[in-house]
Amino acid sequence: MHHCPLCRQITTQPHYQDKKRSFFLCDNCGLVSADSHSFLLPTIEQQRYGRAKKAGKQRQLEDFIESLIQQLRDLGQTELNGLNFGRVLSEHALTKVKTAGYHMQQFDPFFAPNHQVLQQQYDVICSYRVFEHFREPAKEWRLISSLLKPQGWLAISTPLLRSPAAFAKWHLKNNPTHVSFYQPRTFTYLAQISGFELLFADGDFVLMQKAA
Ligand SMILES: [Zn+2]
């Protein structure tokens, strides 16, 4: 038994083990977490994370943000102040977002560690393929939820684990930079403890709204 890095309860059980890592499942919040002893060195993590700057990933990030803007527009939300948390969008794509009437700040722990942008609150925060890299998900969740204004929107892309039984065959666990794995019920738990409404959690997309 060890403490769950998300809910801090001693409700974790050994869940799966491969040649390099052990994984624990939390009964309370449903998070599957990699053993912290197996974390990569920060320099290696940065190298691997940096690969996401390649064109393919960048296009996926752009698509994610464009479809989010479309959804917000459908909800009648325009001229929002947003924060893109965890992965940097190219200047070109950022200009397109601005043209659509949205102001977007960016924070990336490796490539845009501008802590100034963490000093204010936002109408919308999006985070594309970042949550699975969180070594301290409780701390990151506290930060992200504190950066959101009341009634603000939080859009997350992270692959959701359909069931704990599916973990053994899940290829996403094989990437050593992936250390936190969420089930839909993990976001139900986070919504409950933080005063969010969970609007959607399926596939690899989660949408939540902070209470007024
Ligand atoms: Zn937990």
Side-chain angles (χ1 to χ4, degrees), residues 3-12 25-32 186 189:
H3 282 92
C4 169
L6 182 58
C7 71
R8 310 276 197 208
Q9 302 296 306
I10 313 176
T11 41
T12 57
L25 169 65
C26 175
D27 286 339
N28 185 44
C29 71
L31 185 85
V32 175
T186 313
Y189 162 82

Side-chain angles (χ1 to χ4, degrees), residues 51-69:
R51 289 185 199 166
K53 291 179 102 179
K54 286 189 182 161
K57 271 269 173 158
Q58 186 62 223
R59 211 160 30 240
Q60 289 167 17
L61 171 59
E62 282 176 34
D63 289 348
F64 168 68
I65 290 181
E66 268 173 29
S67 101
L68 173 63
I69 286 176

